[in-house]
Amino acid sequence: IKNHLVELMCTVPPVIQAQISESISLIAEVDFPKNWQNLLPSLVQKLNSPDMAVVNGVLTTANSIFKQFRYVRRSNELYEVIIYSLEQFQEPLLLLFAQTGKAVEGYANDKQQLVPR
């Protein structure tokens, strides 16, 4: 089931997408990364989607997954998971940020393109 959740989240309407995103983060609390090694690669792959609803869903899901690190006692195991997460997610996220910045600059004279849909 876990192997199909990211794909499913990216193909459903926003209301259901939010529920599946929450399901992914709940499972990730227990299984990530040791028992769900393809989670971040699956999310990173979807960051390249031309559909901003998919990208927003992926970012929301990633935020929910990474929130678990905020209030956890420091340990070597925690640092290993953080390093793994950074290695998987940092570069694609920076690339998405740069692409989004260029797109915004490209629409500087067409503000209607910048309105959320």
Side-chain angles (χ1 to χ4, degrees):
I1 293 175
K2 291 186 302 191
N3 292 333
H4 301 289
L5 280 176
V6 172
E7 185 65 36
L8 180 63
M9 180 193 68
C10 295
T11 59
V12 295
V15 174
I16 299 171
Q17 186 183 59
Q19 293 174 346
I20 295 174
S21 174
E22 184 62 24
S23 300
I24 291 171
S25 36
L26 289 172
I27 296 168
E29 283 182 28
V30 177
D31 286 358
F32 176 76
K34 290 181 182 173
N35 296 323
W36 200 356
Q37 295 176 352
N38 70 333
L39 174 59
L40 285 186
S42 297
L43 290 172
V44 165
Q45 180 184 13
K46 297 300 180 182
L47 284 176
N48 296 323
S49 173
D51 184 353
M52 286 309 292
V54 169
V55 174
N56 284 334
V58 168
L59 292 174
T60 300
T61 303
N63 182 51
S64 295
I65 293 167
F66 297 146
K67 271 185 185 178
Q68 69 180 333
F69 303 142
R70 293 181 187 162
Y71 308 108
V72 177
R73 187 166 183 250
R74 295 177 181 180
S75 68
N76 287 338
E77 184 178 325
L78 172 65
Y79 291 135
E80 289 173 8
V81 174
I82 290 172
I83 289 169
Y84 168 79
S85 299
L86 286 171
E87 288 172 347
Q88 295 290 315
F89 212 77
Q90 178 179 338
E91 188 175 331
L93 184 61
L94 183 59
L95 181 60
L96 175 65
F97 181 73
Q99 290 171 342
T100 303
K102 286 180 184 177
V104 168
E105 286 176 2
Y107 292 127
N109 295 325
D110 188 4
K111 297 191 190 299
Q112 189 61 28
Q113 292 292 329
L114 299 175
V115 175
R117 299 172 198 186

